[in-house]
Amino acid sequence: MAGHSQFKNIMHRKGRQDAQRSKLFSKLAREITVAAKMGTPDPAMNPRLRAAILAARAENMPKDNIQRAISKALGGDAENYEEIRYEGYGPGGAAVIVEAMTDNRNRTASDVRSVFTKAGGNLAETGAVAFMFDRVGVVEFDAKAADADAMLEAAIEAGAEDVESDENGHTVYCDQGALGEVTKTLEARFGEPRKSALVWKPQNAVAVDDEAGEKLVRLVEALEDHDDVQNVYGNFELSEALLAKMS
C-alpha cells in the first residue's frame, strides 16, 4: 500500500507522546462536532458521526470527550469550520492530498503552502493530483476478527469491492456511497470495526528513493502536526530498508 499507510504503521509502533495525543484528541473532537452539527446527533442515523466516533475510540479517546464534542454541536456554540482540500507534490514527485478543517482559510492555506515548500515540495491547484486517487469507503478490522477467506466472502456479500488482509488486520474497500451499509453489515457479523471512513486511495504507488522517502515522511509529519489538518494521503511507496530504519 502507498506511503501514508506505511507511515501510519511507523507512528503507531513508535507510540504517541502526550502532546501528540492531546492534539489528536482535539482533531477527533472537531470532526465529531462538525459531523453532529451537519446531521443528526444520533450515530446510528449519521454515518459520518458514526465514523468519527469509531476513529476516536480507536485512539482510546475517553467517552466523556466524545459526548462533550457531540453536546457542543447541540449547544449551538460550536465554531464554524470550513472543510478544504489541498493538493500538491512532495519530494520525488509524489502526489499528496491534505484534508483540513479551518475557521481561517487564509491562515491555513499559507501554513500548508509553507510546509510543502520547506519540505522541498510545492502546493498545486485543487484537482492537480486528485485524479491519481479514488475516493472510496474503507472499513478496517483487527486480524483476530476473522480469517482472510471469511472476511473476503462476507465483504463481497455486503457489497464491498476488495479486501486486503495481512498480519495487521483486514482493510475492506467499497464504493463511497455504500460505506454505511457495508459497515453495518460487517459489524453485525464481526463486531465493531476499528475504522469506517471515506479515504483517498492512490490508483498506483510511486516508488521513491530513500532520500526522497525521508523527506516525504517529514512532510507528512509536519502536515499532520498542524492543528487544522485532519488527514493526509500520499501515493508514494517507501523501501523496506527505510521502513526498517525508521521503525
Side-chain angles (χ1 to χ4, degrees):
M1 184 60 181
H4 187 67
S5 296
Q6 294 177 319
F7 179 73
K8 278 293 187 189
N9 290 337
I10 292 168
M11 292 304 290
H12 281 301
R13 282 198 294 271
K14 283 182 175 178
R16 295 182 183 275
Q17 296 175 346
D18 288 345
Q20 289 177 311
R21 184 161 291 277
S22 175
K23 182 171 287 190
L24 176 65
F25 283 177
S26 294
K27 293 184 180 188
L28 291 167
R30 183 182 298 182
E31 170 62 19
I32 290 170
T33 299
V34 169
K37 193 175 181 181
M38 289 176 66
T40 170
D42 180 3
M45 303 295 290
N46 184 336
R48 179 169 174 175
L49 177 58
R50 173 76 173 135
I53 291 173
L54 281 173
R57 286 179 183 163
E59 295 293 347
N60 297 314
M61 185 170 169
K63 288 182 180 178
D64 287 350
N65 294 40
I66 294 173
Q67 189 54 51
R68 199 177 303 125
I70 295 173
S71 299
K72 190 174 183 181
L74 298 178
D77 59 345
E79 299 89 341
N80 288 316
Y81 289 107
E82 183 178 5
E83 294 179 283
I84 307 174
R85 186 176 83 238
Y86 300 99
E87 302 177 28
Y89 293 95
V96 179
I97 292 179
V98 181
E99 290 180 332
M101 206 177 278
T102 180
D103 56 0
N104 187 325
R105 175 190 278 261
N106 291 336
R107 177 198 66 218
T108 306
S110 176
D111 289 352
V112 170
R113 184 181 302 279
S114 176
V115 171
F116 268 93
T117 302
K118 288 177 181 175
N122 64 282
L123 197 59
E125 295 295 319
T126 301
V129 305
F131 69 93
M132 302 181 205
F133 297 75
D134 293 320
R135 186 65 165 165
V136 300
V138 63
V139 188
E140 293 183 3
F141 288 90
D142 290 333
K144 63 185 179 184
D147 62 40
D149 289 340
M151 182 61 69
L152 177 61
E153 182 180 348
I156 298 303
E157 285 179 4
E161 297 174 346
D162 192 21
V163 181
E164 293 177 2
S165 297
D166 57 27
E167 68 274 10
N168 295 315
H170 310 281
T171 303
V172 178
Y173 294 101
C174 63
D175 181 86
Q176 57 178 323
L179 178 61
E181 192 56 41
V182 170
T183 301
K184 189 184 299 182
T185 302
L186 293 179
E187 182 172 358
R189 181 161 176 180
F190 302 115
E192 187 174 278
R194 66 187 183 198
K195 178 177 182 177
S196 171
L198 293 176
V199 303
W200 291 96
K201 183 186 180 189
Q203 294 166 358
N204 296 290
V206 177
V208 294
D209 62 41
D210 287 358
E211 183 181 353
E214 287 198 46
K215 291 179 180 177
L216 280 163
V217 168
R218 285 199 292 271
L219 168 61
V220 173
E221 207 165 25
L223 287 168
E224 292 199 330
D225 195 48
H226 194 284
D227 289 341
D228 298 339
V229 172
Q230 294 293 106
N231 300 294
V232 184
Y233 304 94
N235 71 344
F236 56 91
E237 191 165 40
L238 306 178
S239 72
E240 291 299 325
L242 180 57
L243 284 171
K245 175 184 174 184
M246 294 181 62
S247 297

